[in-house]
Amino acid sequence: MVELRQLRYFVAVAEELHFRRAAERLFISAPTLSQQIRAIEREIGGPLLIRGSQGVELTAAGEVLLKNSRTVLEAAEIALRETRMVANPECAVFRLGVVNGAPSWLPARIESLLKARQPGARVVLTGGPTADQVRLLDREDVDLAVLRMPVRLPEHLTSTAIAVEELGIVMSREHPLALRSTIEPVHLRGQELIMFARDSAPELHDSLLAQLREQGAAVALSESAMSHAQMLSLLPLRPAAIGLGSARTATAPGLAWRPLHPHPLVISYVAAWRPAARNSALRAVAEVLASGSRLSP
């Protein structure tokens, strides 16, 4: 039978396409690695690699084994991780994904919920745009993700609302609208609006534009698309452009923030997770959030 150790050896060779580099990566000798690969080939009943002076190439059988070996090794890692968590819940690792631009107090509140129930649990944070967070959650690379609504989630994931935040207009302090205390939709006619790339959060992108235009804010969507942080860096240099953000952006150098009047834009944050996950740390947090608890600064 082929062992997990041998599959790890094969994956290393298949990814490096070179025995010496793979052996160095695995901290074993090249002859030992070659012997193990030949043992797998004998078990399989055919060649997995084509060996050459410059390295190796995968055969068709090798391509199939590489794909399935990665799946098997990932499943084994998940099985061991979840078993350790059940055996010793106080040492559980809670992997929290946080969408870019979310208020810093949100992950802090979630961590506080966890620490109150499992003081020994360790929190690992991963930031990124909405689309990346959903993929990480779907691949089980994070246990819980903080996302902005609206967002389309796979059916096997669940979510619950945890917080809301008001959005207003962010602009350079040199922008003419910065002289106003509030911004009305009519004031935004023809204004260049810089937003994040649509493919990073398509539902939210379309929802925000639709809400603005329903209020009569006939903005002109900019050809520039950038992350929230990039937008905040650019706006002081573009006094004719605007962006959307929370009141938190008012503290950024060179920027002004003004609320929309009379109907502010309000976005919701949700926590999403896999109900079938066995992570005890996740269960401790999800139980509280699913009960309808809302988080606040």
Side-chain angles (χ1 to χ4, degrees), residues 231-290:
M231 178 196 70
L232 297 183
S233 297
L234 176 67
L235 284 176
L237 308 176
R238 297 280 293 273
I242 61 171
L244 296 176
S246 71
R248 293 179 285 120
T249 60
T251 60
L255 293 180
W257 181 87
R258 299 292 182 266
L260 278 168
H261 178 79
H263 304 295
L265 287 179
V266 177
I267 58 170
S268 296
Y269 287 93
V270 299
W273 66 90
R274 299 178 308 281
R278 298 184 178 89
N279 187 337
S280 61
L282 170 63
R283 291 200 304 272
V285 172
E287 181 179 347
V288 178
L289 297 178

Side-chain angles (χ1 to χ4, degrees), residues 173-290:
R173 290 179 182 171
E174 304 302 319
H175 195 291
L177 292 179
L179 297 174
R180 297 180 175 274
S181 59
T182 62
I183 305 293
E184 297 179 15
V186 67
H187 299 147
L188 299 178
R189 183 177 299 277
Q191 295 287 330
E192 179 189 5
L193 174 64
I194 299 176
M195 292 186 67
F196 51 87
R198 184 180 182 277
D199 59 4
S200 67
E203 293 83 12
L204 178 62
H205 185 282
D206 294 348
S207 173
L208 291 174
L209 275 181
Q211 290 181 66
L212 285 172
R213 288 167 177 164
E214 285 170 4
Q215 294 187 36
V219 294
L221 185 61
S222 176
E223 293 181 350
S224 301
M226 54 192 62
S227 70
H228 185 71
Q230 291 171 330
M231 178 196 70
L232 297 183
S233 297
L234 176 67
L235 284 176
L237 308 176
R238 297 280 293 273
I242 61 171
L244 296 176
S246 71
R248 293 179 285 120
T249 60
T251 60
L255 293 180
W257 181 87
R258 299 292 182 266
L260 278 168
H261 178 79
H263 304 295
L265 287 179
V266 177
I267 58 170
S268 296
Y269 287 93
V270 299
W273 66 90
R274 299 178 308 281
R278 298 184 178 89
N279 187 337
S280 61
L282 170 63
R283 291 200 304 272
V285 172
E287 181 179 347
V288 178
L289 297 178

Side-chain angles (χ1 to χ4, degrees), residues 3 11 29 33 44 55 120 132 139 152 160 182 193 195-196 210 230 234 249 254 264 268 277 284:
E3 302 174 0
V11 168
S29 69
L33 178 58
I44 296 295
D132 287 354
R139 295 202 307 255
R152 183 175 300 172
T160 186
T182 62
L193 174 64
M195 292 186 67
F196 51 87
Q230 291 171 330
L234 176 67
T249 60
S268 296

Side-chain angles (χ1 to χ4, degrees), residues 58-93:
L58 291 173
T59 64
E63 294 281 0
V64 172
L65 184 60
L66 175 60
K67 175 183 176 181
N68 288 285
S69 293
R70 284 171 170 160
T71 301
V72 169
L73 292 173
E74 182 180 0
E77 181 181 346
I78 292 172
L80 289 174
R81 183 172 64 238
E82 292 186 351
T83 303
R84 290 191 188 105
M85 290 175 183
V86 173
N88 192 357
E90 288 303 310
C91 296
V93 176

Side-chain angles (χ1 to χ4, degrees), residues 40 54 86 89 95 267 286:
I40 301 174
Q54 301 301 316
V86 173
R95 300 163 303 163
I267 58 170

